[in-house]
Amino acid sequence: MMIVPELWREARRHPWLLSMSILLLLLVFATHLAQALALAWSLAAFVRGDTAGAVAGSSRSGWRGCC
């Protein structure tokens, strides 16, 4: 995304608004990351055949990850 000089000028005039915008962007990123991890976990359970774990988010097969 390109930030034009007018936006930089306003950001210098209102640094707390810039900080709040960055904080909100980080919170949205964290939410998207959590959703991606939850989806990956559910898909992995579904591929293993653990449909209850795919829906509930838990695993009954005792699978603890890659290691």
Side-chain angles (χ1 to χ4, degrees):
M1 181 166 97
M2 190 169 128
I3 300 180
V4 295
E6 292 83 11
L7 290 176
W8 282 116
R9 186 173 26 248
E10 289 299 314
R12 280 193 297 273
R13 287 182 53 208
H14 304 287
W16 61 276
L17 284 175
L18 177 63
S19 299
M20 292 304 294
S21 295
I22 291 171
L23 177 65
L24 288 174
L25 284 172
L26 290 173
L27 288 173
V28 168
F29 172 72
T31 302
H32 288 165
L33 185 62
Q35 288 176 349
L37 290 173
L39 181 61
W41 187 268
S42 293
L43 287 174
F46 182 75
V47 168
R48 283 193 317 271
D50 183 15
T51 55
V55 174
S58 62
S59 176
R60 288 188 279 155
S61 63
W63 185 73
R64 298 287 184 216
C66 67
C67 304

